[in-house]
Amino acid sequence: MASQSASHPPAVTVDDFSDPTALNAGIELLEHDVVQLQSMPLKARRVIVRLESAAIVHYATNLRIRTRSRVRKGRLGYVVFGPQASGTINGLPVRPGLMLAVEPETEITFVANGGWESITFLLPPADILDHLTARQREGEFHLPQGVESLQVDPERVRALFKWGKRLVGSAAKHPDLFNE
């Protein structure tokens, strides 16, 4: 297997955390600042699946935490939530079936309760526009301003979360399949 350089991280990384300061370590896709809000032992997990031009990031935590995250330049973030997710984003309540669109370089403050799971899909805006243009639907593309709640069928959002979770689960078990 070829070694991964700093400029080319592995396609899949799985990070388990018990120390909130370790979660603060930035990744090339997002910036984080995490604070643990309960004194019990933290068990958090981040799985990143890097695809050709996109990435999928799964987060889970057993405790209430607060995090400020910023999507890096050149990527749109689409965030969906797991069946037990509760908390807030920028003060707005989170629930399963909710989908958010996040403008590049926008900071978001999450307060996540225990049992939280979310999946963030990070995509270049040009890829989305190319996809819609090929289907003669380019007029449907709207670049979000800050953080926007999308009007999407909650069942379809739940299905997207399940699909994303299956993908990151497979990637965590078989990372070599994604490095090719």
PDB file of all heavy atoms in Angstrom, residues 70-110:
ATOM      1  N   ARG A  70     -16.341  25.540  11.532  1.00  0.00           N
ATOM      2  CA  ARG A  70     -16.354  26.401  10.355  1.00  0.00           C
ATOM      3  C   ARG A  70     -16.045  25.531   9.140  1.00  0.00           C
ATOM      4  O   ARG A  70     -15.040  24.829   9.118  1.00  0.00           O
ATOM      5  CB  ARG A  70     -15.312  27.510  10.484  1.00  0.00           C
ATOM      6  CG  ARG A  70     -15.280  28.455   9.293  1.00  0.00           C
ATOM      7  CD  ARG A  70     -14.161  29.486   9.401  1.00  0.00           C
ATOM      8  NE  ARG A  70     -14.141  30.163  10.673  1.00  0.00           N
ATOM      9  CZ  ARG A  70     -14.801  31.288  10.940  1.00  0.00           C
ATOM     10  NH1 ARG A  70     -15.553  31.849  10.036  1.00  0.00           N
ATOM     11  NH2 ARG A  70     -14.707  31.843  12.140  1.00  0.00           N
ATOM     12  N   VAL A  71     -16.918  25.618   8.144  1.00  0.00           N
ATOM     13  CA  VAL A  71     -16.683  24.916   6.883  1.00  0.00           C
ATOM     14  C   VAL A  71     -15.579  25.670   6.149  1.00  0.00           C
ATOM     15  O   VAL A  71     -15.610  26.896   6.054  1.00  0.00           O
ATOM     16  CB  VAL A  71     -17.973  24.875   6.022  1.00  0.00           C
ATOM     17  CG1 VAL A  71     -17.704  24.255   4.665  1.00  0.00           C
ATOM     18  CG2 VAL A  71     -19.069  24.112   6.750  1.00  0.00           C
ATOM     19  N   ARG A  72     -14.605  24.938   5.650  1.00  0.00           N
ATOM     20  CA  ARG A  72     -13.484  25.568   4.954  1.00  0.00           C
ATOM     21  C   ARG A  72     -13.924  26.161   3.616  1.00  0.00           C
ATOM     22  O   ARG A  72     -14.936  25.769   3.042  1.00  0.00           O
ATOM     23  CB  ARG A  72     -12.363  24.548   4.716  1.00  0.00           C
ATOM     24  CG  ARG A  72     -11.763  23.967   5.959  1.00  0.00           C
ATOM     25  CD  ARG A  72     -10.760  24.886   6.566  1.00  0.00           C
ATOM     26  NE  ARG A  72     -10.223  24.258   7.780  1.00  0.00           N
ATOM     27  CZ  ARG A  72      -8.985  24.397   8.177  1.00  0.00           C
ATOM     28  NH1 ARG A  72      -8.151  25.120   7.514  1.00  0.00           N
ATOM     29  NH2 ARG A  72      -8.592  23.812   9.286  1.00  0.00           N
ATOM     30  N   LYS A  73     -13.097  27.065   3.128  1.00  0.00           N
ATOM     31  CA  LYS A  73     -13.353  27.753   1.864  1.00  0.00           C
ATOM     32  C   LYS A  73     -13.481  26.732   0.725  1.00  0.00           C
ATOM     33  O   LYS A  73     -12.773  25.735   0.688  1.00  0.00           O
ATOM     34  CB  LYS A  73     -12.197  28.709   1.567  1.00  0.00           C
ATOM     35  CG  LYS A  73     -12.403  29.563   0.360  1.00  0.00           C
ATOM     36  CD  LYS A  73     -11.266  30.549   0.202  1.00  0.00           C
ATOM     37  CE  LYS A  73     -11.517  31.443  -0.992  1.00  0.00           C
ATOM     38  NZ  LYS A  73     -10.487  32.472  -1.115  1.00  0.00           N
ATOM     39  N   GLY A  74     -14.412  27.007  -0.188  1.00  0.00           N
ATOM     40  CA  GLY A  74     -14.563  26.169  -1.370  1.00  0.00           C
ATOM     41  C   GLY A  74     -15.476  24.969  -1.187  1.00  0.00           C
ATOM     42  O   GLY A  74     -15.631  24.169  -2.111  1.00  0.00           O
ATOM     43  N   ARG A  75     -16.089  24.811  -0.016  1.00  0.00           N
ATOM     44  CA  ARG A  75     -16.995  23.684   0.234  1.00  0.00           C
ATOM     45  C   ARG A  75     -18.310  24.186   0.809  1.00  0.00           C
ATOM     46  O   ARG A  75     -18.321  25.034   1.689  1.00  0.00           O
ATOM     47  CB  ARG A  75     -16.394  22.704   1.253  1.00  0.00           C
ATOM     48  CG  ARG A  75     -15.044  22.172   0.930  1.00  0.00           C
ATOM     49  CD  ARG A  75     -15.137  20.956   0.053  1.00  0.00           C
ATOM     50  NE  ARG A  75     -13.814  20.462  -0.247  1.00  0.00           N
ATOM     51  CZ  ARG A  75     -13.498  19.196  -0.243  1.00  0.00           C
ATOM     52  NH1 ARG A  75     -14.397  18.293   0.043  1.00  0.00           N
ATOM     53  NH2 ARG A  75     -12.291  18.816  -0.550  1.00  0.00           N
ATOM     54  N   LEU A  76     -19.387  23.636   0.327  1.00  0.00           N
ATOM     55  CA  LEU A  76     -20.699  23.817   0.948  1.00  0.00           C
ATOM     56  C   LEU A  76     -20.899  22.663   1.906  1.00  0.00           C
ATOM     57  O   LEU A  76     -20.469  21.542   1.630  1.00  0.00           O
ATOM     58  CB  LEU A  76     -21.818  23.748  -0.092  1.00  0.00           C
ATOM     59  CG  LEU A  76     -21.998  24.935  -1.012  1.00  0.00           C
ATOM     60  CD1 LEU A  76     -23.058  24.608  -2.055  1.00  0.00           C
ATOM     61  CD2 LEU A  76     -22.398  26.153  -0.229  1.00  0.00           C
ATOM     62  N   GLY A  77     -21.549  22.914   3.003  1.00  0.00           N
ATOM     63  CA  GLY A  77     -21.877  21.853   3.941  1.00  0.00           C
ATOM     64  C   GLY A  77     -23.370  21.606   3.949  1.00  0.00           C
ATOM     65  O   GLY A  77     -24.163  22.551   3.971  1.00  0.00           O
ATOM     66  N   TYR A  78     -23.745  20.346   3.884  1.00  0.00           N
ATOM     67  CA  TYR A  78     -25.139  19.922   4.060  1.00  0.00           C
ATOM     68  C   TYR A  78     -25.140  18.986   5.249  1.00  0.00           C
ATOM     69  O   TYR A  78     -24.437  17.977   5.249  1.00  0.00           O
ATOM     70  CB  TYR A  78     -25.677  19.238   2.795  1.00  0.00           C
ATOM     71  CG  TYR A  78     -25.822  20.206   1.650  1.00  0.00           C
ATOM     72  CD1 TYR A  78     -24.796  20.394   0.733  1.00  0.00           C
ATOM     73  CD2 TYR A  78     -26.979  20.972   1.514  1.00  0.00           C
ATOM     74  CE1 TYR A  78     -24.920  21.311  -0.296  1.00  0.00           C
ATOM     75  CE2 TYR A  78     -27.114  21.888   0.487  1.00  0.00           C
ATOM     76  CZ  TYR A  78     -26.079  22.050  -0.413  1.00  0.00           C
ATOM     77  OH  TYR A  78     -26.197  22.969  -1.435  1.00  0.00           O
ATOM     78  N   VAL A  79     -25.909  19.332   6.289  1.00  0.00           N
ATOM     79  CA  VAL A  79     -25.869  18.601   7.546  1.00  0.00           C
ATOM     80  C   VAL A  79     -27.227  17.957   7.802  1.00  0.00           C
ATOM     81  O   VAL A  79     -28.267  18.619   7.683  1.00  0.00           O
ATOM     82  CB  VAL A  79     -25.522  19.542   8.729  1.00  0.00           C
ATOM     83  CG1 VAL A  79     -25.327  18.739  10.018  1.00  0.00           C
ATOM     84  CG2 VAL A  79     -24.293  20.388   8.423  1.00  0.00           C
ATOM     85  N   VAL A  80     -27.202  16.655   8.150  1.00  0.00           N
ATOM     86  CA  VAL A  80     -28.402  15.912   8.540  1.00  0.00           C
ATOM     87  C   VAL A  80     -28.124  15.241   9.881  1.00  0.00           C
ATOM     88  O   VAL A  80     -26.969  15.063  10.269  1.00  0.00           O
ATOM     89  CB  VAL A  80     -28.825  14.888   7.458  1.00  0.00           C
ATOM     90  CG1 VAL A  80     -29.234  15.597   6.175  1.00  0.00           C
ATOM     91  CG2 VAL A  80     -27.724  13.881   7.179  1.00  0.00           C
ATOM     92  N   PHE A  81     -29.183  14.867  10.577  1.00  0.00           N
ATOM     93  CA  PHE A  81     -29.059  14.436  11.966  1.00  0.00           C
ATOM     94  C   PHE A  81     -29.646  13.055  12.191  1.00  0.00           C
ATOM     95  O   PHE A  81     -30.621  12.670  11.561  1.00  0.00           O
ATOM     96  CB  PHE A  81     -29.740  15.465  12.874  1.00  0.00           C
ATOM     97  CG  PHE A  81     -29.202  16.840  12.637  1.00  0.00           C
ATOM     98  CD1 PHE A  81     -29.818  17.705  11.744  1.00  0.00           C
ATOM     99  CD2 PHE A  81     -28.039  17.236  13.256  1.00  0.00           C
ATOM    100  CE1 PHE A  81     -29.295  18.954  11.482  1.00  0.00           C
ATOM    101  CE2 PHE A  81     -27.503  18.494  13.010  1.00  0.00           C
ATOM    102  CZ  PHE A  81     -28.138  19.355  12.119  1.00  0.00           C
ATOM    103  N   GLY A  82     -29.038  12.339  13.153  1.00  0.00           N
ATOM    104  CA  GLY A  82     -29.461  10.992  13.495  1.00  0.00           C
ATOM    105  C   GLY A  82     -30.752  10.969  14.295  1.00  0.00           C
ATOM    106  O   GLY A  82     -31.248  12.004  14.749  1.00  0.00           O
ATOM    107  N   PRO A  83     -31.299   9.755  14.484  1.00  0.00           N
ATOM    108  CA  PRO A  83     -32.610   9.608  15.126  1.00  0.00           C
ATOM    109  C   PRO A  83     -32.658  10.039  16.581  1.00  0.00           C
ATOM    110  O   PRO A  83     -33.719  10.367  17.092  1.00  0.00           O
ATOM    111  CB  PRO A  83     -32.926   8.118  14.980  1.00  0.00           C
ATOM    112  CG  PRO A  83     -31.619   7.459  14.724  1.00  0.00           C
ATOM    113  CD  PRO A  83     -30.741   8.474  14.062  1.00  0.00           C
ATOM    114  N   GLN A  84     -31.513  10.089  17.286  1.00  0.00           N
ATOM    115  CA  GLN A  84     -31.482  10.502  18.693  1.00  0.00           C
ATOM    116  C   GLN A  84     -30.917  11.906  18.870  1.00  0.00           C
ATOM    117  O   GLN A  84     -30.752  12.361  20.002  1.00  0.00           O
ATOM    118  CB  GLN A  84     -30.631   9.521  19.513  1.00  0.00           C
ATOM    119  CG  GLN A  84     -31.055   8.073  19.402  1.00  0.00           C
ATOM    120  CD  GLN A  84     -32.492   7.852  19.831  1.00  0.00           C
ATOM    121  OE1 GLN A  84     -32.932   8.374  20.842  1.00  0.00           O
ATOM    122  NE2 GLN A  84     -33.230   7.094  19.038  1.00  0.00           N
ATOM    123  N   ALA A  85     -30.610  12.592  17.769  1.00  0.00           N
ATOM    124  CA  ALA A  85     -29.961  13.905  17.858  1.00  0.00           C
ATOM    125  C   ALA A  85     -30.895  14.929  18.481  1.00  0.00           C
ATOM    126  O   ALA A  85     -32.059  15.048  18.094  1.00  0.00           O
ATOM    127  CB  ALA A  85     -29.518  14.374  16.475  1.00  0.00           C
ATOM    128  N   SER A  86     -30.363  15.633  19.456  1.00  0.00           N
ATOM    129  CA  SER A  86     -31.070  16.779  20.017  1.00  0.00           C
ATOM    130  C   SER A  86     -30.025  17.780  20.453  1.00  0.00           C
ATOM    131  O   SER A  86     -28.904  17.430  20.797  1.00  0.00           O
ATOM    132  CB  SER A  86     -31.965  16.368  21.184  1.00  0.00           C
ATOM    133  OG  SER A  86     -31.189  15.986  22.301  1.00  0.00           O
ATOM    134  N   GLY A  87     -30.396  19.023  20.401  1.00  0.00           N
ATOM    135  CA  GLY A  87     -29.490  20.102  20.743  1.00  0.00           C
ATOM    136  C   GLY A  87     -29.880  21.317  19.934  1.00  0.00           C
ATOM    137  O   GLY A  87     -31.032  21.457  19.517  1.00  0.00           O
ATOM    138  N   THR A  88     -28.907  22.183  19.687  1.00  0.00           N
ATOM    139  CA  THR A  88     -29.171  23.390  18.904  1.00  0.00           C
ATOM    140  C   THR A  88     -28.019  23.670  17.957  1.00  0.00           C
ATOM    141  O   THR A  88     -26.884  23.234  18.173  1.00  0.00           O
ATOM    142  CB  THR A  88     -29.361  24.620  19.815  1.00  0.00           C
ATOM    143  OG1 THR A  88     -28.162  24.844  20.549  1.00  0.00           O
ATOM    144  CG2 THR A  88     -30.538  24.464  20.758  1.00  0.00           C
ATOM    145  N   ILE A  89     -28.346  24.419  16.925  1.00  0.00           N
ATOM    146  CA  ILE A  89     -27.350  24.976  16.018  1.00  0.00           C
ATOM    147  C   ILE A  89     -27.648  26.458  15.930  1.00  0.00           C
ATOM    148  O   ILE A  89     -28.751  26.852  15.540  1.00  0.00           O
ATOM    149  CB  ILE A  89     -27.410  24.326  14.622  1.00  0.00           C
ATOM    150  CG1 ILE A  89     -26.978  22.888  14.734  1.00  0.00           C
ATOM    151  CG2 ILE A  89     -26.542  25.097  13.642  1.00  0.00           C
ATOM    152  CD1 ILE A  89     -26.949  22.155  13.432  1.00  0.00           C
ATOM    153  N   ASN A  90     -26.680  27.265  16.351  1.00  0.00           N
ATOM    154  CA  ASN A  90     -26.862  28.716  16.403  1.00  0.00           C
ATOM    155  C   ASN A  90     -28.146  29.076  17.134  1.00  0.00           C
ATOM    156  O   ASN A  90     -28.859  30.003  16.762  1.00  0.00           O
ATOM    157  CB  ASN A  90     -26.840  29.326  15.003  1.00  0.00           C
ATOM    158  CG  ASN A  90     -25.472  29.229  14.358  1.00  0.00           C
ATOM    159  OD1 ASN A  90     -24.498  28.829  14.979  1.00  0.00           O
ATOM    160  ND2 ASN A  90     -25.395  29.591  13.091  1.00  0.00           N
ATOM    161  N   GLY A  91     -28.472  28.283  18.161  1.00  0.00           N
ATOM    162  CA  GLY A  91     -29.646  28.544  18.993  1.00  0.00           C
ATOM    163  C   GLY A  91     -30.947  27.945  18.482  1.00  0.00           C
ATOM    164  O   GLY A  91     -31.955  27.972  19.179  1.00  0.00           O
ATOM    165  N   LEU A  92     -30.951  27.390  17.289  1.00  0.00           N
ATOM    166  CA  LEU A  92     -32.154  26.777  16.722  1.00  0.00           C
ATOM    167  C   LEU A  92     -32.187  25.288  17.046  1.00  0.00           C
ATOM    168  O   LEU A  92     -31.167  24.611  16.943  1.00  0.00           O
ATOM    169  CB  LEU A  92     -32.192  26.972  15.205  1.00  0.00           C
ATOM    170  CG  LEU A  92     -32.182  28.429  14.734  1.00  0.00           C
ATOM    171  CD1 LEU A  92     -31.999  28.496  13.234  1.00  0.00           C
ATOM    172  CD2 LEU A  92     -33.465  29.123  15.161  1.00  0.00           C
ATOM    173  N   PRO A  93     -33.356  24.741  17.417  1.00  0.00           N
ATOM    174  CA  PRO A  93     -33.431  23.323  17.790  1.00  0.00           C
ATOM    175  C   PRO A  93     -33.138  22.388  16.608  1.00  0.00           C
ATOM    176  O   PRO A  93     -33.537  22.657  15.479  1.00  0.00           O
ATOM    177  CB  PRO A  93     -34.874  23.133  18.260  1.00  0.00           C
ATOM    178  CG  PRO A  93     -35.522  24.452  18.213  1.00  0.00           C
ATOM    179  CD  PRO A  93     -34.619  25.430  17.548  1.00  0.00           C
ATOM    180  N   VAL A  94     -32.437  21.318  16.937  1.00  0.00           N
ATOM    181  CA  VAL A  94     -32.101  20.273  15.965  1.00  0.00           C
ATOM    182  C   VAL A  94     -33.041  19.108  16.174  1.00  0.00           C
ATOM    183  O   VAL A  94     -33.419  18.805  17.300  1.00  0.00           O
ATOM    184  CB  VAL A  94     -30.640  19.825  16.165  1.00  0.00           C
ATOM    185  CG1 VAL A  94     -30.336  18.558  15.408  1.00  0.00           C
ATOM    186  CG2 VAL A  94     -29.690  20.926  15.775  1.00  0.00           C
ATOM    187  N   ARG A  95     -33.381  18.435  15.088  1.00  0.00           N
ATOM    188  CA  ARG A  95     -34.232  17.254  15.177  1.00  0.00           C
ATOM    189  C   ARG A  95     -33.928  16.339  13.993  1.00  0.00           C
ATOM    190  O   ARG A  95     -33.447  16.806  12.960  1.00  0.00           O
ATOM    191  CB  ARG A  95     -35.706  17.652  15.174  1.00  0.00           C
ATOM    192  CG  ARG A  95     -36.153  18.240  13.857  1.00  0.00           C
ATOM    193  CD  ARG A  95     -37.571  18.804  13.873  1.00  0.00           C
ATOM    194  NE  ARG A  95     -37.965  19.279  12.575  1.00  0.00           N
ATOM    195  CZ  ARG A  95     -37.537  20.375  11.984  1.00  0.00           C
ATOM    196  NH1 ARG A  95     -36.650  21.134  12.569  1.00  0.00           N
ATOM    197  NH2 ARG A  95     -37.973  20.709  10.786  1.00  0.00           N
ATOM    198  N   PRO A  96     -34.228  15.070  14.128  1.00  0.00           N
ATOM    199  CA  PRO A  96     -34.110  14.180  12.977  1.00  0.00           C
ATOM    200  C   PRO A  96     -35.053  14.683  11.883  1.00  0.00           C
ATOM    201  O   PRO A  96     -36.117  15.224  12.153  1.00  0.00           O
ATOM    202  CB  PRO A  96     -34.565  12.818  13.513  1.00  0.00           C
ATOM    203  CG  PRO A  96     -34.377  12.922  15.000  1.00  0.00           C
ATOM    204  CD  PRO A  96     -34.620  14.362  15.349  1.00  0.00           C
ATOM    205  N   GLY A  97     -34.631  14.536  10.639  1.00  0.00           N
ATOM    206  CA  GLY A  97     -35.447  14.993   9.518  1.00  0.00           C
ATOM    207  C   GLY A  97     -35.149  16.411   9.081  1.00  0.00           C
ATOM    208  O   GLY A  97     -35.672  16.889   8.087  1.00  0.00           O
ATOM    209  N   LEU A  98     -34.278  17.115   9.824  1.00  0.00           N
ATOM    210  CA  LEU A  98     -33.880  18.477   9.491  1.00  0.00           C
ATOM    211  C   LEU A  98     -32.625  18.424   8.624  1.00  0.00           C
ATOM    212  O   LEU A  98     -31.716  17.638   8.887  1.00  0.00           O
ATOM    213  CB  LEU A  98     -33.584  19.264  10.770  1.00  0.00           C
ATOM    214  CG  LEU A  98     -33.008  20.673  10.609  1.00  0.00           C
ATOM    215  CD1 LEU A  98     -34.047  21.611  10.000  1.00  0.00           C
ATOM    216  CD2 LEU A  98     -32.536  21.200  11.960  1.00  0.00           C
ATOM    217  N   MET A  99     -32.574  19.262   7.583  1.00  0.00           N
ATOM    218  CA  MET A  99     -31.374  19.384   6.756  1.00  0.00           C
ATOM    219  C   MET A  99     -30.973  20.855   6.703  1.00  0.00           C
ATOM    220  O   MET A  99     -31.811  21.717   6.450  1.00  0.00           O
ATOM    221  CB  MET A  99     -31.610  18.872   5.342  1.00  0.00           C
ATOM    222  CG  MET A  99     -30.403  19.020   4.429  1.00  0.00           C
ATOM    223  SD  MET A  99     -30.758  18.436   2.764  1.00  0.00           S
ATOM    224  CE  MET A  99     -29.568  17.140   2.648  1.00  0.00           C
ATOM    225  N   LEU A 100     -29.695  21.094   6.958  1.00  0.00           N
ATOM    226  CA  LEU A 100     -29.161  22.449   6.908  1.00  0.00           C
ATOM    227  C   LEU A 100     -28.175  22.572   5.763  1.00  0.00           C
ATOM    228  O   LEU A 100     -27.435  21.628   5.468  1.00  0.00           O
ATOM    229  CB  LEU A 100     -28.434  22.786   8.210  1.00  0.00           C
ATOM    230  CG  LEU A 100     -29.255  22.732   9.487  1.00  0.00           C
ATOM    231  CD1 LEU A 100     -28.359  22.975  10.688  1.00  0.00           C
ATOM    232  CD2 LEU A 100     -30.377  23.751   9.437  1.00  0.00           C
ATOM    233  N   ALA A 101     -28.150  23.734   5.136  1.00  0.00           N
ATOM    234  CA  ALA A 101     -27.137  24.083   4.142  1.00  0.00           C
ATOM    235  C   ALA A 101     -26.259  25.157   4.765  1.00  0.00           C
ATOM    236  O   ALA A 101     -26.771  26.095   5.383  1.00  0.00           O
ATOM    237  CB  ALA A 101     -27.785  24.589   2.861  1.00  0.00           C
ATOM    238  N   VAL A 102     -24.937  25.013   4.610  1.00  0.00           N
ATOM    239  CA  VAL A 102     -23.996  25.922   5.251  1.00  0.00           C
ATOM    240  C   VAL A 102     -23.065  26.506   4.191  1.00  0.00           C
ATOM    241  O   VAL A 102     -22.385  25.775   3.465  1.00  0.00           O
ATOM    242  CB  VAL A 102     -23.169  25.208   6.342  1.00  0.00           C
ATOM    243  CG1 VAL A 102     -22.253  26.181   7.048  1.00  0.00           C
ATOM    244  CG2 VAL A 102     -24.084  24.494   7.333  1.00  0.00           C
ATOM    245  N   GLU A 103     -23.044  27.829   4.144  1.00  0.00           N
ATOM    246  CA  GLU A 103     -22.185  28.563   3.212  1.00  0.00           C
ATOM    247  C   GLU A 103     -20.717  28.339   3.574  1.00  0.00           C
ATOM    248  O   GLU A 103     -20.376  28.221   4.761  1.00  0.00           O
ATOM    249  CB  GLU A 103     -22.543  30.046   3.328  1.00  0.00           C
ATOM    250  CG  GLU A 103     -21.726  30.960   2.453  1.00  0.00           C
ATOM    251  CD  GLU A 103     -22.114  32.423   2.650  1.00  0.00           C
ATOM    252  OE1 GLU A 103     -22.680  32.779   3.698  1.00  0.00           O
ATOM    253  OE2 GLU A 103     -21.832  33.200   1.742  1.00  0.00           O
ATOM    254  N   PRO A 104     -19.817  28.299   2.576  1.00  0.00           N
ATOM    255  CA  PRO A 104     -18.385  28.184   2.885  1.00  0.00           C
ATOM    256  C   PRO A 104     -17.937  29.285   3.842  1.00  0.00           C
ATOM    257  O   PRO A 104     -18.414  30.420   3.781  1.00  0.00           O
ATOM    258  CB  PRO A 104     -17.712  28.353   1.514  1.00  0.00           C
ATOM    259  CG  PRO A 104     -18.753  27.924   0.529  1.00  0.00           C
ATOM    260  CD  PRO A 104     -20.068  28.346   1.134  1.00  0.00           C
ATOM    261  N   GLU A 105     -17.026  28.921   4.744  1.00  0.00           N
ATOM    262  CA  GLU A 105     -16.415  29.816   5.720  1.00  0.00           C
ATOM    263  C   GLU A 105     -17.400  30.372   6.749  1.00  0.00           C
ATOM    264  O   GLU A 105     -17.136  31.390   7.370  1.00  0.00           O
ATOM    265  CB  GLU A 105     -15.675  30.950   5.027  1.00  0.00           C
ATOM    266  CG  GLU A 105     -14.545  30.447   4.140  1.00  0.00           C
ATOM    267  CD  GLU A 105     -13.669  31.542   3.617  1.00  0.00           C
ATOM    268  OE1 GLU A 105     -12.845  32.060   4.403  1.00  0.00           O
ATOM    269  OE2 GLU A 105     -13.820  31.879   2.437  1.00  0.00           O
ATOM    270  N   THR A 106     -18.509  29.691   6.945  1.00  0.00           N
ATOM    271  CA  THR A 106     -19.494  30.103   7.940  1.00  0.00           C
ATOM    272  C   THR A 106     -19.248  29.344   9.235  1.00  0.00           C
ATOM    273  O   THR A 106     -19.093  28.130   9.220  1.00  0.00           O
ATOM    274  CB  THR A 106     -20.929  29.826   7.438  1.00  0.00           C
ATOM    275  OG1 THR A 106     -21.144  30.598   6.261  1.00  0.00           O
ATOM    276  CG2 THR A 106     -21.968  30.171   8.477  1.00  0.00           C
ATOM    277  N   GLU A 107     -19.228  30.071  10.354  1.00  0.00           N
ATOM    278  CA  GLU A 107     -19.069  29.428  11.655  1.00  0.00           C
ATOM    279  C   GLU A 107     -20.434  29.027  12.198  1.00  0.00           C
ATOM    280  O   GLU A 107     -21.383  29.799  12.112  1.00  0.00           O
ATOM    281  CB  GLU A 107     -18.377  30.359  12.646  1.00  0.00           C
ATOM    282  CG  GLU A 107     -18.096  29.674  13.973  1.00  0.00           C
ATOM    283  CD  GLU A 107     -17.256  30.520  14.890  1.00  0.00           C
ATOM    284  OE1 GLU A 107     -16.027  30.556  14.695  1.00  0.00           O
ATOM    285  OE2 GLU A 107     -17.838  31.135  15.800  1.00  0.00           O
ATOM    286  N   ILE A 108     -20.502  27.819  12.744  1.00  0.00           N
ATOM    287  CA  ILE A 108     -21.731  27.287  13.317  1.00  0.00           C
ATOM    288  C   ILE A 108     -21.427  26.892  14.756  1.00  0.00           C
ATOM    289  O   ILE A 108     -20.399  26.269  15.028  1.00  0.00           O
ATOM    290  CB  ILE A 108     -22.189  26.021  12.575  1.00  0.00           C
ATOM    291  CG1 ILE A 108     -22.245  26.235  11.083  1.00  0.00           C
ATOM    292  CG2 ILE A 108     -23.520  25.542  13.092  1.00  0.00           C
ATOM    293  CD1 ILE A 108     -22.302  24.954  10.315  1.00  0.00           C
ATOM    294  N   THR A 109     -22.346  27.202  15.669  1.00  0.00           N
ATOM    295  CA  THR A 109     -22.209  26.754  17.055  1.00  0.00           C
ATOM    296  C   THR A 109     -23.229  25.657  17.309  1.00  0.00           C
ATOM    297  O   THR A 109     -24.430  25.880  17.186  1.00  0.00           O
ATOM    298  CB  THR A 109     -22.434  27.917  18.043  1.00  0.00           C
ATOM    299  OG1 THR A 109     -21.463  28.928  17.769  1.00  0.00           O
ATOM    300  CG2 THR A 109     -22.284  27.441  19.480  1.00  0.00           C
ATOM    301  N   PHE A 110     -22.727  24.455  17.594  1.00  0.00           N
ATOM    302  CA  PHE A 110     -23.565  23.309  17.927  1.00  0.00           C
ATOM    303  C   PHE A 110     -23.556  23.125  19.434  1.00  0.00           C
ATOM    304  O   PHE A 110     -22.495  23.203  20.053  1.00  0.00           O
ATOM    305  CB  PHE A 110     -22.984  22.007  17.349  1.00  0.00           C
ATOM    306  CG  PHE A 110     -23.006  21.881  15.865  1.00  0.00           C
ATOM    307  CD1 PHE A 110     -21.946  22.350  15.098  1.00  0.00           C
ATOM    308  CD2 PHE A 110     -24.066  21.266  15.232  1.00  0.00           C
ATOM    309  CE1 PHE A 110     -21.944  22.206  13.729  1.00  0.00           C
ATOM    310  CE2 PHE A 110     -24.074  21.113  13.863  1.00  0.00           C
ATOM    311  CZ  PHE A 110     -23.015  21.584  13.109  1.00  0.00           C
TER     312      PHE A 110
END
